[in-house]
Amino acid sequence: MQQWISKLSEQEVGAILPNEPMSKYTTWKIGGPADAMIVPDTKAQLLSLIRQLREEQIPWMTIGKGSNMLVSDKGIRGAVIRLGKGFEDIRFDGSAVTAGGGASFVRLSIMAGKQGLTGLEFAAGVPGTVGGAVYMNAGAHGSDVSRIFKSADIVLETGELVTYTSEDMDFRYRHSLLHDQRGIVAEARFVLSEGDRLEIAAAMATYKDRRRKTQPLQQPCAGSVFRNPPGDYAARLIESAGLKGRSVGGAEVSTLHANFIVNTGQATAENVLELMEIIKATILSEYDIVLVPEVFFVGER
């Protein structure tokens, strides 16, 4: 065991899992081992962990549901932080809702609908955690997090606990302040509106059914691989370029949705990266459009 892991095990920072395979935590089912996965259960543990890692100068990153992340075959050096059960609480107070950063975004939307609160229907088809949704300004069906976000308690990489409001967060398309200022969403607050339970349930059912019919959810994948370019759709461009079904090793452009890359069984991160480069080069050559990845590559190259 590395010395810094031994030191952390003497502190109150949560569960520590040395040499943990990351393929267990990504929806692509790809990824080598992290030096250590650490699972804090409280804000106090999370603050202590970040301060200890800073003091030891250990690199770290966070993971939620692993739904927009490609992890290197060689794994991740340093610590991977995954929020524990203590960060999954969801509380309602009238039309306001407070959710832990580790709570399921889909579960949050379902609970809001049962409360007769509208504004989170789009989240019914957005896998991931509340913290990840805030980080990415996740969205679908014409809405996104920025429209309902009120504030969040965030642990910065300096070890400070701050509260940022919507005005602080610099929300843009699939972007937030946390892309530029590292931090972990410990808890977020949203403001919803009262609505009709039946209408909310119907909308969510429609979104869920559309997702089931148009996305390859029966295979390991990571959602949309590329952002939609202005005025167009990445899937349309990829399909028009004849790339559906194109494969590298075990990675394949889905024949159901062209902006998805699926793991057909034995795909490696390098397979996925090579296929992404083929897609980007083809779209640039044929349409003079630069596709920007929506998924993040992390780990050792």
Side-chain angles (χ1 to χ4, degrees):
M1 185 183 294
Q2 296 187 39
Q3 187 176 9
W4 64 268
I5 300 176
S6 297
K7 282 187 177 182
L8 278 180
S9 65
E10 299 170 1
Q11 307 297 321
E12 187 62 30
V13 297
I16 300 176
L17 307 172
N19 204 37
E20 187 71 357
M22 292 302 297
S23 58
K24 292 166 56 176
Y25 302 94
T26 64
T27 57
W28 248 322
K29 306 299 181 188
I30 292 172
D35 287 343
M37 175 171 284
I38 307 172
V39 189
D41 254 332
T42 66
K43 287 182 184 177
Q45 288 183 349
L46 179 58
L47 282 164
S48 176
L49 172 59
I50 294 299
R51 289 166 184 166
Q52 293 289 330
L53 292 172
R54 181 178 175 84
E55 183 177 319
E56 296 290 330
Q57 296 185 315
I58 303 302
W60 60 267
M61 57 161 287
T62 57
I63 188 169
K65 300 291 186 183
S67 56
N68 68 333
M69 183 177 291
L70 179 63
V71 178
S72 164
D73 301 312
K74 296 180 180 179
I76 299 172
R77 306 288 69 81
V80 174
I81 301 170
R82 185 170 181 262
L83 298 182
K85 293 288 185 183
F87 289 94
E88 295 180 5
D89 189 41
I90 296 173
R91 306 185 301 277
F92 290 89
D93 182 10
S95 60
V97 57
T98 301
S104 162
F105 202 42
V106 170
R107 175 169 165 257
L108 174 61
S109 71
I110 292 170
M111 290 179 66
K114 289 181 177 178
Q115 295 277 334
L117 296 174
T118 184
L120 267 166
E121 290 88 333
F122 75 92
V126 180
T129 61
V130 167
V134 171
Y135 174 83
M136 282 295 295
N137 187 23
H141 311 294
S143 191
D144 59 33
V145 165
S146 70
R147 301 189 184 208
I148 55 172
F149 181 88
K150 181 180 181 183
S151 65
D153 294 341
I154 297 169
V155 177
L156 300 178
E157 65 178 342
T158 57
E160 300 171 85
L161 178 63
V162 298
T163 299
Y164 285 159
T165 66
S166 182
E167 289 73 24
D168 298 320
M169 287 297 289
D170 188 27
F171 283 125
R172 287 175 268 151
Y173 176 66
R174 302 298 179 266
H175 178 276
S176 75
L177 175 72
L178 297 178
H179 286 234
D180 308 310
Q181 182 177 19
R182 289 187 78 203
I184 301 173
V185 176
E187 191 171 74
R189 289 165 285 277
F190 306 96
V191 177
L192 307 175
S193 304
E194 293 191 9
D196 182 278
R197 283 181 174 82
L198 293 178
E199 291 181 1
I200 294 169
M204 291 174 68
T206 298
Y207 295 156
K208 184 177 180 181
D209 187 56
R210 183 185 306 170
R211 185 167 176 261
R212 180 181 59 81
K213 289 179 178 177
T214 61
Q215 299 179 9
L217 303 180
Q218 303 306 312
Q219 295 173 285
C221 59
S224 295
V225 174
F226 296 101
R227 299 182 182 190
N228 289 326
D232 211 332
Y233 295 94
R236 188 198 71 79
L237 293 168
I238 297 167
E239 182 171 355
S240 295
L243 291 172
K244 268 189 171 182
R246 181 70 177 268
S247 65
V248 173
E252 179 183 273
V253 177
S254 170
T255 55
L256 186 61
H257 191 306
N259 199 19
F260 280 59
I261 292 176
V262 297
N263 178 356
T264 61
Q266 301 296 325
T268 65
E270 288 301 318
N271 291 161
V272 175
L273 289 171
E274 185 177 341
L275 187 54
M276 287 175 64
E277 288 303 318
I278 290 171
I279 293 168
K280 288 169 62 178
T282 302
I283 300 307
L284 179 61
S285 173
E286 296 202 12
Y287 303 106
D288 197 28
I289 292 174
V290 176
L291 287 182
V292 178
E294 191 166 315
V295 297
F296 297 91
F297 176 84
V298 296
E300 185 179 359
R301 289 305 299 266

